[in-house]
Amino acid sequence: MGYARNLAAMAAMAALTAQEALAQVGQSPSGSGPIVAAVDWMQRTTLGPIATGVAVIAVAFIGFMMLTGRMNWKHGITVIIGCFILFGATAIVGGIQYAAQAAR
């Protein structure tokens, strides 16, 4: 009995917390302007043309090293997958958000 009561209380608390969080979507808290600006700068830096060029050179170099046997395939694949995740993060998050909205 105690377990069911605790589970019901936790579920009710989670539902209330989720509603409060959903009410804040799309609003920036006061005083977060510099933080938002820093995050925007970081996004532009990591996804800009210079970063894209560096990533292309890195993938080409890693691929060459793997083909000539100078690099372990496991480490090379890790670098390449990391680049795909970095540059595909926007699409990945968009897909997750679309799936979450479709599930409602």
Side-chain angles (χ1 to χ4, degrees), residues 43-54:
Q43 181 182 11
R44 286 191 313 270
T45 302
T46 57
L47 299 176
I50 294 174
T52 304
V54 170

Side-chain angles (χ1 to χ4, degrees), residues 72-90:
N72 185 355
W73 280 82
K74 183 179 177 182
H75 296 295
I77 296 296
T78 303
V79 171
I80 293 170
I81 289 174
C83 288
F84 282 119
I85 291 173
L86 176 67
F87 290 105
T90 305

Side-chain angles (χ1 to χ4, degrees), residues 18-104:
Q19 287 177 353
E20 291 173 7
L22 288 175
Q24 296 175 5
V25 171
Q27 299 175 359
S28 296
S30 62
S32 66
I35 296 171
V36 172
V39 170
D40 287 341
W41 175 83
M42 190 73 138
Q43 181 182 11
R44 286 191 313 270
T45 302
T46 57
L47 299 176
I50 294 174
T52 304
V54 170
V56 168
I57 292 169
V59 169
F61 183 73
I62 296 294
F64 180 73
M65 296 287 282
M66 289 184 338
L67 288 175
T68 58
R70 296 183 206 164
M71 177 175 270
N72 185 355
W73 280 82
K74 183 179 177 182
H75 296 295
I77 296 296
T78 303
V79 171
I80 293 170
I81 289 174
C83 288
F84 282 119
I85 291 173
L86 176 67
F87 290 105
T90 305
I92 293 168
V93 170
I96 292 170
Q97 288 176 341
Y98 178 76
Q101 289 175 354
R104 286 187 202 175

